[in-house]
Amino acid sequence: MSLAYVYGVGTSYFGRQPDQTDYSLAWRAVREAFADALVQGVDAAYVGTVFGASGVAQRALHAMGLGGIPMVTVENACASGTTALHEANVAVRSGRYERVLALGLEHMTARMRGGIHPELTDVEGATGLGMPSMYAMAAHRYLSKGMATAAQLASVSVKNHHHAMANDRAQYRGEFTIEEVLASTMIADPLTLLQCCPISDGAAAAIVGVDRRVAGDVPIRASALRSGGLWDHRSEQVWGFELVSATAGEAYAAAGIGPEDLDVLEVHDAFTIGEVVTTEALALVAVGAGGAAAAAGQTAIGGRHPVNPSGGLLSRGHPLGATGLAQTAEIVWQLRGRAKGRQVDGARVGLVETMGGGVAGIDGNGCVVAILGG
Amino acid sequence: MSLAYVYGVGTSYFGRQPDQTDYSLAWRAVREAFADALVQGVDAAYVGTVFGASGVAQRALHAMGLGGIPMVTVENACASGTTALHEANVAVRSGRYERVLALGLEHMTARMRGGIHPELTDVEGATGLGMPSMYAMAAHRYLSKGMATAAQLASVSVKNHHHAMANDRAQYRGEFTIEEVLASTMIADPLTLLQCCPISDGAAAAIVGVDRRVAGDVPIRASALRSGGLWDHRSEQVWGFELVSATAGEAYAAAGIGPEDLDVLEVHDAFTIGEVVTTEALALVAVGAGGAAAAAGQTAIGGRHPVNPSGGLLSRGHPLGATGLAQTAEIVWQLRGRAKGRQVDGARVGLVETMGGGVAGIDGNGCVVAILGG
C-alpha cells in the first residue's frame, strides 16, 4: 500500500461563537482546506461530530456544492475528528478513493446546555463521574504516589497558554504563573479552572489524497484506532494510559519509527494531567516522569519534545468533533515550517493523539494516533 | 478484490420496548449473530445509530467482552445501519480486516420525545416539513399526476402487514383491507396511520468476513453509498427517486446484475409511497407503475418481485439505526431458505435498500443499496 497525503488543512476560529452555526464554522474550515490543497472536489467525506444533529454533515457539505458523494458521519467522542482522519487515510491507502475530505465540527454553545452531562446508562457516568472528576482521580493518584506534583501539573497549563500566545485562532491565550494556575477556581480537586479545557465552537478539515508529489503535501505515515474500556482498577496505570500506549505502539510499528523520532506533537490535554499521562503513554518520557519533564521545559517549544505548540485543548479550545483535525492542521503547518511565532524549528515528523471518553460515558472511549511527515 | 460474506445475522424483537435498553437490545442481536456465524470475536465494529448517546457502541460491545478493537459509530439517518454494513463490507473486501461486526441499534422510546422533530437548521425542516409531510407531498404528486391511486398506495400497507403475520419479531401484524387502511387516522394527507411506520426500539447485527466456503455464508455482491440533497423541484421525480436510482445503478453495475435478477428485496417503506417510488427507482417497474404493481400483487410473496417479506418498516417497525441491518438479516434468512412462513421460494439473489433523510433535516439524506447472494 502506498501512503496517503494531507494536501491541505483549514480551521475556523475556536471559542464560544454563538453567532456562528455548524454550517458557518464548517464553511470556514472546508474552504480554507480546499484553497490550501489547490484542488476542487473530493470523492467522499468522513465527518466527525459528537453532538451535531443527524444530517449536519450533508447539510454543511451540500451547501458548499459537495452533494452526491458518499458521506459518513462518524462519532468516537473526543476522537471523532481523528476517527474521520483515520477512515480517510485508510480509504485512500487502500485505493478506495483518490481524494477524501475529513471534517470535524462542533457547535457546543448551540447543541449543549452548560456542558457535557454524565450519561446515566454508563456505569461510571451513573455514579456522577463526569470528565473533570475522572481526570481528577488520575491526578490524585499521581500526586499521592509521588509521580507528579501539583506545580508540575500546573506547568502544563502555563506552557500551553504561553504557546497559544502566537495562535490567533486560539480560544484563550495568556501568560500565567504556576501560582496563578493553582489559585484559579477549583473545578475538581486538584484540577483548577486553568487546568481544564473550555467549552468551544469550531471546525477543522483536511483533504487527504494519493501521492501527487507536490511540495507541501504531508504524508500520513500511519494511523491507528482502538477502543478502550472502564478504568481497570487492578492496573497500576490510570485510566487511558493502556489505551493510548497500545494505540501509539501500533502506530509507531506501522510507521517504523519510535518516540525519539518525533519533532512535534499535538496530544489530548483536556486536563493538565491528561497531557502528563499521554506523554508517558507515548513513551516520550518514563512513567512518572511526565510532570517533571513539563516543568523542566522539555515539552515546550524549544524543548526536546515540543507538545501542543497550538496551545492544545487547554488553550486553543476543545470543540469535541473538531479537535482531532485542529490538531492535524497544526502538525501540518508545523511540518511545512509555517507555524509562525510558534514554529518548532526543523520539525520533520509529527504525531497527533486524541483520546475520547464516551462523553461522560467513560466506558465508551476510543483513541486515535496518527504520525505525519518524515 | 474478493467478496466479503455475511457469516451470521441476529436481531432483537421490534416494537416499543421501554423495559429494554440500548444495551439489552444490542445484546440480543449481537449474541444471535455470533451464534449464527459460528465464530467468536471480530477485528473491528461499525455501529449505526441516530439518537444513541455518544459511546453507546463501546459500552454495548465492551459489556459483551468485545473491548479493545477499533469501533466506529456511524450516522447516516435512516441508512445508518446499512452504512455500517457498507463500511464493514468495504473493510473486509479491501483486506483491512478479516471479520467485522456491523451493528445497528436505536431505543427510540428512551431517546426521543414523541417522534422525530424537524431540525430547524435545515432549510426544509425550518418550514415545518417533517418526514410524514415530505412523503405526503410525494404521494400527492403521484395522485395528481395519475401515477398512482390512493387505493394502490394503501395496498402496500395491506401487503406488508400481511407479510408480517409470519414474522414473530415484527412490531405490528394484521390482516387489513384497503378500505381499513384508508379509513385509519389521517396523519399527513393522503397518508393515513397504517401507511406510516411506527416509533420502534430494536437492534440488528451482521458478522461480515472473508470467504471461508461455509454453507450459509451469504456473499455481498456489491454495496453502494451515496448522499443526496434537497428535493429538486425542477425535477419531474419526487424527492429521493434520483438518489435511490443512482445508488442502485452503482450497485447493479458493481454486482453485474440487473433488477430482473432479483428474487427478493427489503426496501425503505417508511411510508407506503416510499415503497412505490423505490420499486420504480430500483427499476423493478416503470416510473408510475409501482402502485399498480403493488395492487396487482407483483411485490407480494409469490409475485414477480417480492418486496418486504419481513413486513418492512411499516410493520416490522423502524428503529432508525437498526433498520438497515434488520433488512439485511431478513435477506440472509431468505437466501438461506429459512424464512419460515414468509419464505420466497427459491430466492437466490436479494437486495437491501435504505434511504435516510437527515431526520427531518431532509437535505441531509443518504442511501445505501446492497446486493447479496447469487
PDB file of all heavy atoms in Angstrom, chain A residues 23 54 58-59 62 69 73 75-76 87 96 111 119 121-122 227-228, chain B residues 23 54 58-59 62 69 73 75-76 87 96 111 121-122 227-228:
ATOM      1  N   TYR A  23     -22.770  25.251  10.286  1.00  0.00           N
ATOM      2  CA  TYR A  23     -22.507  25.377   8.856  1.00  0.00           C
ATOM      3  C   TYR A  23     -21.473  26.460   8.563  1.00  0.00           C
ATOM      4  O   TYR A  23     -20.595  26.289   7.716  1.00  0.00           O
ATOM      5  CB  TYR A  23     -23.824  25.621   8.116  1.00  0.00           C
ATOM      6  CG  TYR A  23     -24.874  24.648   8.591  1.00  0.00           C
ATOM      7  CD1 TYR A  23     -25.947  25.045   9.383  1.00  0.00           C
ATOM      8  CD2 TYR A  23     -24.740  23.287   8.314  1.00  0.00           C
ATOM      9  CE1 TYR A  23     -26.869  24.126   9.856  1.00  0.00           C
ATOM     10  CE2 TYR A  23     -25.651  22.360   8.787  1.00  0.00           C
ATOM     11  CZ  TYR A  23     -26.717  22.783   9.564  1.00  0.00           C
ATOM     12  OH  TYR A  23     -27.612  21.874  10.046  1.00  0.00           O
ATOM     13  N   SER A  54     -28.389  14.917  13.391  1.00  0.00           N
ATOM     14  CA  SER A  54     -28.376  13.990  12.260  1.00  0.00           C
ATOM     15  C   SER A  54     -28.448  14.776  10.962  1.00  0.00           C
ATOM     16  O   SER A  54     -29.272  15.672  10.816  1.00  0.00           O
ATOM     17  CB  SER A  54     -29.586  13.057  12.364  1.00  0.00           C
ATOM     18  OG  SER A  54     -29.681  12.250  11.208  1.00  0.00           O
ATOM     19  N   GLN A  58     -24.186  16.369   5.844  1.00  0.00           N
ATOM     20  CA  GLN A  58     -24.726  16.516   4.496  1.00  0.00           C
ATOM     21  C   GLN A  58     -25.191  17.943   4.247  1.00  0.00           C
ATOM     22  O   GLN A  58     -24.943  18.501   3.177  1.00  0.00           O
ATOM     23  CB  GLN A  58     -25.885  15.546   4.276  1.00  0.00           C
ATOM     24  CG  GLN A  58     -25.450  14.102   4.054  1.00  0.00           C
ATOM     25  CD  GLN A  58     -25.379  13.308   5.342  1.00  0.00           C
ATOM     26  OE1 GLN A  58     -25.286  13.879   6.433  1.00  0.00           O
ATOM     27  NE2 GLN A  58     -25.389  11.992   5.230  1.00  0.00           N
ATOM     28  N   ARG A  59     -25.867  18.517   5.222  1.00  0.00           N
ATOM     29  CA  ARG A  59     -26.339  19.890   5.022  1.00  0.00           C
ATOM     30  C   ARG A  59     -25.169  20.850   4.831  1.00  0.00           C
ATOM     31  O   ARG A  59     -25.193  21.722   3.955  1.00  0.00           O
ATOM     32  CB  ARG A  59     -27.217  20.330   6.191  1.00  0.00           C
ATOM     33  CG  ARG A  59     -28.604  19.698   6.167  1.00  0.00           C
ATOM     34  CD  ARG A  59     -29.541  20.344   7.178  1.00  0.00           C
ATOM     35  NE  ARG A  59     -29.163  20.044   8.543  1.00  0.00           N
ATOM     36  CZ  ARG A  59     -29.494  18.928   9.191  1.00  0.00           C
ATOM     37  NH1 ARG A  59     -30.198  17.994   8.594  1.00  0.00           N
ATOM     38  NH2 ARG A  59     -29.121  18.732  10.430  1.00  0.00           N
ATOM     39  N   HIS A  62     -23.450  19.895   1.331  1.00  0.00           N
ATOM     40  CA  HIS A  62     -24.292  20.178   0.170  1.00  0.00           C
ATOM     41  C   HIS A  62     -24.322  21.671  -0.109  1.00  0.00           C
ATOM     42  O   HIS A  62     -24.312  22.097  -1.268  1.00  0.00           O
ATOM     43  CB  HIS A  62     -25.721  19.685   0.397  1.00  0.00           C
ATOM     44  CG  HIS A  62     -25.844  18.201   0.410  1.00  0.00           C
ATOM     45  ND1 HIS A  62     -27.002  17.553   0.762  1.00  0.00           N
ATOM     46  CD2 HIS A  62     -24.951  17.227   0.120  1.00  0.00           C
ATOM     47  CE1 HIS A  62     -26.814  16.254   0.678  1.00  0.00           C
ATOM     48  NE2 HIS A  62     -25.593  16.024   0.306  1.00  0.00           N
ATOM     49  N   ILE A  69     -21.736  12.834  -3.241  1.00  0.00           N
ATOM     50  CA  ILE A  69     -20.646  11.921  -2.887  1.00  0.00           C
ATOM     51  C   ILE A  69     -21.016  11.120  -1.646  1.00  0.00           C
ATOM     52  O   ILE A  69     -21.892  11.507  -0.883  1.00  0.00           O
ATOM     53  CB  ILE A  69     -19.334  12.689  -2.630  1.00  0.00           C
ATOM     54  CG1 ILE A  69     -19.535  13.700  -1.482  1.00  0.00           C
ATOM     55  CG2 ILE A  69     -18.858  13.371  -3.897  1.00  0.00           C
ATOM     56  CD1 ILE A  69     -18.247  14.343  -1.011  1.00  0.00           C
ATOM     57  N   THR A  73     -20.981  10.141   8.591  1.00  0.00           N
ATOM     58  CA  THR A  73     -20.723  10.835   9.843  1.00  0.00           C
ATOM     59  C   THR A  73     -20.207   9.817  10.850  1.00  0.00           C
ATOM     60  O   THR A  73     -20.800   8.747  10.998  1.00  0.00           O
ATOM     61  CB  THR A  73     -22.012  11.477  10.368  1.00  0.00           C
ATOM     62  OG1 THR A  73     -22.478  12.400   9.389  1.00  0.00           O
ATOM     63  CG2 THR A  73     -21.761  12.216  11.675  1.00  0.00           C
ATOM     64  N   GLU A  75     -18.661   9.043  14.851  1.00  0.00           N
ATOM     65  CA  GLU A  75     -18.656   9.547  16.222  1.00  0.00           C
ATOM     66  C   GLU A  75     -17.780   8.644  17.055  1.00  0.00           C
ATOM     67  O   GLU A  75     -17.919   7.420  17.004  1.00  0.00           O
ATOM     68  CB  GLU A  75     -20.087   9.580  16.780  1.00  0.00           C
ATOM     69  CG  GLU A  75     -20.220  10.285  18.119  1.00  0.00           C
ATOM     70  CD  GLU A  75     -19.974   9.379  19.293  1.00  0.00           C
ATOM     71  OE1 GLU A  75     -20.456   8.237  19.274  1.00  0.00           O
ATOM     72  OE2 GLU A  75     -19.272   9.804  20.224  1.00  0.00           O
ATOM     73  N   ASN A  76     -16.873   9.241  17.760  1.00  0.00           N
ATOM     74  CA  ASN A  76     -15.986   8.469  18.631  1.00  0.00           C
ATOM     75  C   ASN A  76     -15.574   9.377  19.783  1.00  0.00           C
ATOM     76  O   ASN A  76     -14.396   9.490  20.110  1.00  0.00           O
ATOM     77  CB  ASN A  76     -14.770   7.981  17.839  1.00  0.00           C
ATOM     78  CG  ASN A  76     -14.163   6.734  18.422  1.00  0.00           C
ATOM     79  OD1 ASN A  76     -14.635   6.220  19.441  1.00  0.00           O
ATOM     80  ND2 ASN A  76     -13.108   6.250  17.809  1.00  0.00           N
ATOM     81  N   GLU A  87     -10.229   7.154   9.008  1.00  0.00           N
ATOM     82  CA  GLU A  87     -11.023   6.484   7.971  1.00  0.00           C
ATOM     83  C   GLU A  87     -10.652   7.027   6.590  1.00  0.00           C
ATOM     84  O   GLU A  87     -10.598   6.273   5.612  1.00  0.00           O
ATOM     85  CB  GLU A  87     -12.515   6.647   8.252  1.00  0.00           C
ATOM     86  CG  GLU A  87     -12.985   5.942   9.524  1.00  0.00           C
ATOM     87  CD  GLU A  87     -12.844   4.425   9.466  1.00  0.00           C
ATOM     88  OE1 GLU A  87     -13.349   3.798   8.521  1.00  0.00           O
ATOM     89  OE2 GLU A  87     -12.197   3.863  10.376  1.00  0.00           O
ATOM     90  N   ARG A  96      -9.537   2.879  -2.255  1.00  0.00           N
ATOM     91  CA  ARG A  96     -10.988   3.016  -2.349  1.00  0.00           C
ATOM     92  C   ARG A  96     -11.377   4.346  -2.975  1.00  0.00           C
ATOM     93  O   ARG A  96     -12.318   4.419  -3.749  1.00  0.00           O
ATOM     94  CB  ARG A  96     -11.570   2.888  -0.942  1.00  0.00           C
ATOM     95  CG  ARG A  96     -13.053   2.967  -0.842  1.00  0.00           C
ATOM     96  CD  ARG A  96     -13.467   2.686   0.602  1.00  0.00           C
ATOM     97  NE  ARG A  96     -14.882   2.901   0.795  1.00  0.00           N
ATOM     98  CZ  ARG A  96     -15.479   2.925   1.984  1.00  0.00           C
ATOM     99  NH1 ARG A  96     -14.746   2.716   3.082  1.00  0.00           N
ATOM    100  NH2 ARG A  96     -16.761   3.125   2.098  1.00  0.00           N
ATOM    101  N   ARG A 111     -25.551  23.318  20.885  1.00  0.00           N
ATOM    102  CA  ARG A 111     -26.018  21.930  20.987  1.00  0.00           C
ATOM    103  C   ARG A 111     -26.027  21.384  22.405  1.00  0.00           C
ATOM    104  O   ARG A 111     -26.542  20.305  22.651  1.00  0.00           O
ATOM    105  CB  ARG A 111     -25.151  21.025  20.113  1.00  0.00           C
ATOM    106  CG  ARG A 111     -25.275  21.318  18.632  1.00  0.00           C
ATOM    107  CD  ARG A 111     -26.609  20.859  18.095  1.00  0.00           C
ATOM    108  NE  ARG A 111     -26.848  21.351  16.742  1.00  0.00           N
ATOM    109  CZ  ARG A 111     -28.004  21.211  16.099  1.00  0.00           C
ATOM    110  NH1 ARG A 111     -29.041  20.612  16.684  1.00  0.00           N
ATOM    111  NH2 ARG A 111     -28.156  21.688  14.897  1.00  0.00           N
ATOM    112  N   GLU A 119     -23.595  10.446  31.172  1.00  0.00           N
ATOM    113  CA  GLU A 119     -24.557   9.559  30.533  1.00  0.00           C
ATOM    114  C   GLU A 119     -24.977   8.516  31.569  1.00  0.00           C
ATOM    115  O   GLU A 119     -24.159   7.724  32.033  1.00  0.00           O
ATOM    116  CB  GLU A 119     -23.914   8.922  29.304  1.00  0.00           C
ATOM    117  CG  GLU A 119     -24.661   7.770  28.697  1.00  0.00           C
ATOM    118  CD  GLU A 119     -26.085   8.124  28.276  1.00  0.00           C
ATOM    119  OE1 GLU A 119     -26.312   9.261  27.824  1.00  0.00           O
ATOM    120  OE2 GLU A 119     -26.964   7.259  28.427  1.00  0.00           O
ATOM    121  N   THR A 121     -26.674   5.846  31.464  1.00  0.00           N
ATOM    122  CA  THR A 121     -26.623   4.415  31.157  1.00  0.00           C
ATOM    123  C   THR A 121     -25.203   3.882  31.238  1.00  0.00           C
ATOM    124  O   THR A 121     -24.977   2.695  31.045  1.00  0.00           O
ATOM    125  CB  THR A 121     -27.184   4.107  29.754  1.00  0.00           C
ATOM    126  OG1 THR A 121     -26.344   4.732  28.768  1.00  0.00           O
ATOM    127  CG2 THR A 121     -28.597   4.640  29.592  1.00  0.00           C
ATOM    128  N   ASP A 122     -24.252   4.775  31.493  1.00  0.00           N
ATOM    129  CA  ASP A 122     -22.866   4.360  31.650  1.00  0.00           C
ATOM    130  C   ASP A 122     -22.607   4.101  33.123  1.00  0.00           C
ATOM    131  O   ASP A 122     -22.986   4.902  33.979  1.00  0.00           O
ATOM    132  CB  ASP A 122     -21.937   5.467  31.144  1.00  0.00           C
ATOM    133  CG  ASP A 122     -20.480   5.083  31.287  1.00  0.00           C
ATOM    134  OD1 ASP A 122     -19.996   4.360  30.412  1.00  0.00           O
ATOM    135  OD2 ASP A 122     -19.858   5.487  32.284  1.00  0.00           O
ATOM    136  N   SER A 227     -10.370   1.035  20.684  1.00  0.00           N
ATOM    137  CA  SER A 227     -11.314   1.388  21.745  1.00  0.00           C
ATOM    138  C   SER A 227     -10.794   0.863  23.072  1.00  0.00           C
ATOM    139  O   SER A 227     -10.000  -0.082  23.111  1.00  0.00           O
ATOM    140  CB  SER A 227     -12.702   0.821  21.458  1.00  0.00           C
ATOM    141  OG  SER A 227     -12.656  -0.590  21.439  1.00  0.00           O
ATOM    142  N   GLY A 228     -11.203   1.516  24.138  1.00  0.00           N
ATOM    143  CA  GLY A 228     -10.733   1.136  25.459  1.00  0.00           C
ATOM    144  C   GLY A 228     -11.851   0.621  26.324  1.00  0.00           C
ATOM    145  O   GLY A 228     -12.739  -0.075  25.849  1.00  0.00           O
TER     146      GLY A 228
ATOM    147  N   TYR B  23     -28.551  -1.377  25.394  1.00  0.00           N
ATOM    148  CA  TYR B  23     -27.596  -2.466  25.615  1.00  0.00           C
ATOM    149  C   TYR B  23     -28.264  -3.834  25.545  1.00  0.00           C
ATOM    150  O   TYR B  23     -27.707  -4.770  24.970  1.00  0.00           O
ATOM    151  CB  TYR B  23     -26.877  -2.245  26.951  1.00  0.00           C
ATOM    152  CG  TYR B  23     -26.405  -0.811  27.056  1.00  0.00           C
ATOM    153  CD1 TYR B  23     -26.997   0.088  27.929  1.00  0.00           C
ATOM    154  CD2 TYR B  23     -25.420  -0.333  26.191  1.00  0.00           C
ATOM    155  CE1 TYR B  23     -26.600   1.415  27.972  1.00  0.00           C
ATOM    156  CE2 TYR B  23     -25.013   0.991  26.215  1.00  0.00           C
ATOM    157  CZ  TYR B  23     -25.612   1.866  27.114  1.00  0.00           C
ATOM    158  OH  TYR B  23     -25.224   3.172  27.132  1.00  0.00           O
ATOM    159  N   SER B  54     -23.435   9.324  22.746  1.00  0.00           N
ATOM    160  CA  SER B  54     -22.015   9.136  22.446  1.00  0.00           C
ATOM    161  C   SER B  54     -21.482   7.990  23.293  1.00  0.00           C
ATOM    162  O   SER B  54     -21.722   7.917  24.492  1.00  0.00           O
ATOM    163  CB  SER B  54     -21.258  10.424  22.773  1.00  0.00           C
ATOM    164  OG  SER B  54     -19.866  10.205  22.647  1.00  0.00           O
ATOM    165  N   GLN B  58     -19.505   1.517  22.214  1.00  0.00           N
ATOM    166  CA  GLN B  58     -18.438   0.949  23.025  1.00  0.00           C
ATOM    167  C   GLN B  58     -18.990   0.312  24.302  1.00  0.00           C
ATOM    168  O   GLN B  58     -18.554  -0.762  24.709  1.00  0.00           O
ATOM    169  CB  GLN B  58     -17.402   2.019  23.384  1.00  0.00           C
ATOM    170  CG  GLN B  58     -16.483   2.398  22.229  1.00  0.00           C
ATOM    171  CD  GLN B  58     -17.009   3.543  21.391  1.00  0.00           C
ATOM    172  OE1 GLN B  58     -18.207   3.843  21.426  1.00  0.00           O
ATOM    173  NE2 GLN B  58     -16.141   4.162  20.624  1.00  0.00           N
ATOM    174  N   ARG B  59     -19.926   1.020  24.924  1.00  0.00           N
ATOM    175  CA  ARG B  59     -20.484   0.456  26.155  1.00  0.00           C
ATOM    176  C   ARG B  59     -21.182  -0.873  25.877  1.00  0.00           C
ATOM    177  O   ARG B  59     -21.036  -1.841  26.615  1.00  0.00           O
ATOM    178  CB  ARG B  59     -21.439   1.453  26.810  1.00  0.00           C
ATOM    179  CG  ARG B  59     -20.725   2.593  27.509  1.00  0.00           C
ATOM    180  CD  ARG B  59     -21.667   3.417  28.360  1.00  0.00           C
ATOM    181  NE  ARG B  59     -22.609   4.177  27.568  1.00  0.00           N
ATOM    182  CZ  ARG B  59     -22.356   5.349  26.991  1.00  0.00           C
ATOM    183  NH1 ARG B  59     -21.162   5.905  27.093  1.00  0.00           N
ATOM    184  NH2 ARG B  59     -23.283   5.971  26.309  1.00  0.00           N
ATOM    185  N   HIS B  62     -18.332  -3.492  24.829  1.00  0.00           N
ATOM    186  CA  HIS B  62     -17.417  -3.835  25.917  1.00  0.00           C
ATOM    187  C   HIS B  62     -18.090  -4.776  26.901  1.00  0.00           C
ATOM    188  O   HIS B  62     -17.465  -5.697  27.427  1.00  0.00           O
ATOM    189  CB  HIS B  62     -16.967  -2.571  26.660  1.00  0.00           C
ATOM    190  CG  HIS B  62     -16.059  -1.706  25.859  1.00  0.00           C
ATOM    191  ND1 HIS B  62     -15.685  -0.452  26.274  1.00  0.00           N
ATOM    192  CD2 HIS B  62     -15.448  -1.904  24.677  1.00  0.00           C
ATOM    193  CE1 HIS B  62     -14.881   0.080  25.358  1.00  0.00           C
ATOM    194  NE2 HIS B  62     -14.730  -0.782  24.381  1.00  0.00           N
ATOM    195  N   ILE B  69     -10.988  -3.533  20.364  1.00  0.00           N
ATOM    196  CA  ILE B  69     -10.969  -3.488  18.896  1.00  0.00           C
ATOM    197  C   ILE B  69     -11.338  -2.092  18.408  1.00  0.00           C
ATOM    198  O   ILE B  69     -11.945  -1.311  19.133  1.00  0.00           O
ATOM    199  CB  ILE B  69     -11.946  -4.513  18.292  1.00  0.00           C
ATOM    200  CG1 ILE B  69     -13.384  -4.237  18.781  1.00  0.00           C
ATOM    201  CG2 ILE B  69     -11.518  -5.931  18.625  1.00  0.00           C
ATOM    202  CD1 ILE B  69     -14.440  -5.064  18.081  1.00  0.00           C
ATOM    203  N   THR B  73     -18.612   4.538  15.365  1.00  0.00           N
ATOM    204  CA  THR B  73     -20.047   4.762  15.288  1.00  0.00           C
ATOM    205  C   THR B  73     -20.323   5.583  14.046  1.00  0.00           C
ATOM    206  O   THR B  73     -19.673   6.603  13.812  1.00  0.00           O
ATOM    207  CB  THR B  73     -20.539   5.513  16.539  1.00  0.00           C
ATOM    208  OG1 THR B  73     -20.229   4.722  17.687  1.00  0.00           O
ATOM    209  CG2 THR B  73     -22.036   5.741  16.481  1.00  0.00           C
ATOM    210  N   GLU B  75     -23.282   7.471  11.453  1.00  0.00           N
ATOM    211  CA  GLU B  75     -24.638   8.024  11.434  1.00  0.00           C
ATOM    212  C   GLU B  75     -24.932   8.471  10.017  1.00  0.00           C
ATOM    213  O   GLU B  75     -24.134   9.157   9.388  1.00  0.00           O
ATOM    214  CB  GLU B  75     -24.742   9.204  12.406  1.00  0.00           C
ATOM    215  CG  GLU B  75     -26.143   9.698  12.645  1.00  0.00           C
ATOM    216  CD  GLU B  75     -26.592  10.723  11.601  1.00  0.00           C
ATOM    217  OE1 GLU B  75     -25.798  11.618  11.263  1.00  0.00           O
ATOM    218  OE2 GLU B  75     -27.740  10.613  11.126  1.00  0.00           O
ATOM    219  N   ASN B  76     -26.051   8.034   9.510  1.00  0.00           N
ATOM    220  CA  ASN B  76     -26.464   8.417   8.167  1.00  0.00           C
ATOM    221  C   ASN B  76     -27.988   8.368   8.116  1.00  0.00           C
ATOM    222  O   ASN B  76     -28.577   7.801   7.196  1.00  0.00           O
ATOM    223  CB  ASN B  76     -25.842   7.472   7.132  1.00  0.00           C
ATOM    224  CG  ASN B  76     -25.679   8.121   5.778  1.00  0.00           C
ATOM    225  OD1 ASN B  76     -26.049   9.282   5.591  1.00  0.00           O
ATOM    226  ND2 ASN B  76     -25.145   7.385   4.827  1.00  0.00           N
ATOM    227  N   GLU B  87     -19.636  -0.091   5.264  1.00  0.00           N
ATOM    228  CA  GLU B  87     -18.257   0.119   5.710  1.00  0.00           C
ATOM    229  C   GLU B  87     -17.609  -1.218   6.077  1.00  0.00           C
ATOM    230  O   GLU B  87     -16.419  -1.438   5.812  1.00  0.00           O
ATOM    231  CB  GLU B  87     -18.215   1.097   6.880  1.00  0.00           C
ATOM    232  CG  GLU B  87     -18.661   2.522   6.528  1.00  0.00           C
ATOM    233  CD  GLU B  87     -17.744   3.205   5.515  1.00  0.00           C
ATOM    234  OE1 GLU B  87     -16.527   3.295   5.771  1.00  0.00           O
ATOM    235  OE2 GLU B  87     -18.246   3.638   4.460  1.00  0.00           O
ATOM    236  N   ARG B  96      -8.620  -4.972   4.842  1.00  0.00           N
ATOM    237  CA  ARG B  96      -8.288  -4.231   6.066  1.00  0.00           C
ATOM    238  C   ARG B  96      -8.524  -5.087   7.303  1.00  0.00           C
ATOM    239  O   ARG B  96      -7.757  -5.026   8.258  1.00  0.00           O
ATOM    240  CB  ARG B  96      -9.157  -2.970   6.096  1.00  0.00           C
ATOM    241  CG  ARG B  96      -8.945  -2.072   7.266  1.00  0.00           C
ATOM    242  CD  ARG B  96      -9.774  -0.805   7.080  1.00  0.00           C
ATOM    243  NE  ARG B  96      -9.730   0.048   8.241  1.00  0.00           N
ATOM    244  CZ  ARG B  96     -10.520   1.096   8.419  1.00  0.00           C
ATOM    245  NH1 ARG B  96     -11.403   1.413   7.480  1.00  0.00           N
ATOM    246  NH2 ARG B  96     -10.428   1.831   9.502  1.00  0.00           N
ATOM    247  N   ARG B 111     -34.866   7.646  23.846  1.00  0.00           N
ATOM    248  CA  ARG B 111     -34.008   8.720  23.352  1.00  0.00           C
ATOM    249  C   ARG B 111     -34.770   9.859  22.699  1.00  0.00           C
ATOM    250  O   ARG B 111     -34.192  10.881  22.372  1.00  0.00           O
ATOM    251  CB  ARG B 111     -32.996   8.155  22.353  1.00  0.00           C
ATOM    252  CG  ARG B 111     -32.011   7.191  22.969  1.00  0.00           C
ATOM    253  CD  ARG B 111     -31.006   7.924  23.839  1.00  0.00           C
ATOM    254  NE  ARG B 111     -30.203   6.992  24.632  1.00  0.00           N
ATOM    255  CZ  ARG B 111     -29.388   7.384  25.603  1.00  0.00           C
ATOM    256  NH1 ARG B 111     -29.244   8.668  25.901  1.00  0.00           N
ATOM    257  NH2 ARG B 111     -28.711   6.509  26.299  1.00  0.00           N
ATOM    258  N   THR B 121     -32.210  23.909  11.724  1.00  0.00           N
ATOM    259  CA  THR B 121     -31.129  24.463  10.905  1.00  0.00           C
ATOM    260  C   THR B 121     -31.202  23.933   9.479  1.00  0.00           C
ATOM    261  O   THR B 121     -30.390  24.312   8.643  1.00  0.00           O
ATOM    262  CB  THR B 121     -29.745  24.125  11.487  1.00  0.00           C
ATOM    263  OG1 THR B 121     -29.547  22.707  11.447  1.00  0.00           O
ATOM    264  CG2 THR B 121     -29.611  24.608  12.914  1.00  0.00           C
ATOM    265  N   ASP B 122     -32.144  23.040   9.232  1.00  0.00           N
ATOM    266  CA  ASP B 122     -32.344  22.518   7.877  1.00  0.00           C
ATOM    267  C   ASP B 122     -33.378  23.377   7.176  1.00  0.00           C
ATOM    268  O   ASP B 122     -34.429  23.691   7.743  1.00  0.00           O
ATOM    269  CB  ASP B 122     -32.823  21.075   7.951  1.00  0.00           C
ATOM    270  CG  ASP B 122     -33.049  20.482   6.577  1.00  0.00           C
ATOM    271  OD1 ASP B 122     -32.067  20.058   5.971  1.00  0.00           O
ATOM    272  OD2 ASP B 122     -34.203  20.479   6.111  1.00  0.00           O
ATOM    273  N   SER B 227     -24.865  10.226  -1.071  1.00  0.00           N
ATOM    274  CA  SER B 227     -25.665  11.235  -0.377  1.00  0.00           C
ATOM    275  C   SER B 227     -26.490  11.997  -1.402  1.00  0.00           C
ATOM    276  O   SER B 227     -26.130  12.073  -2.578  1.00  0.00           O
ATOM    277  CB  SER B 227     -24.777  12.208   0.402  1.00  0.00           C
ATOM    278  OG  SER B 227     -23.930  12.921  -0.462  1.00  0.00           O
ATOM    279  N   GLY B 228     -27.603  12.525  -0.946  1.00  0.00           N
ATOM    280  CA  GLY B 228     -28.497  13.232  -1.850  1.00  0.00           C
ATOM    281  C   GLY B 228     -28.584  14.697  -1.510  1.00  0.00           C
ATOM    282  O   GLY B 228     -27.594  15.325  -1.163  1.00  0.00           O
TER     283      GLY B 228
END
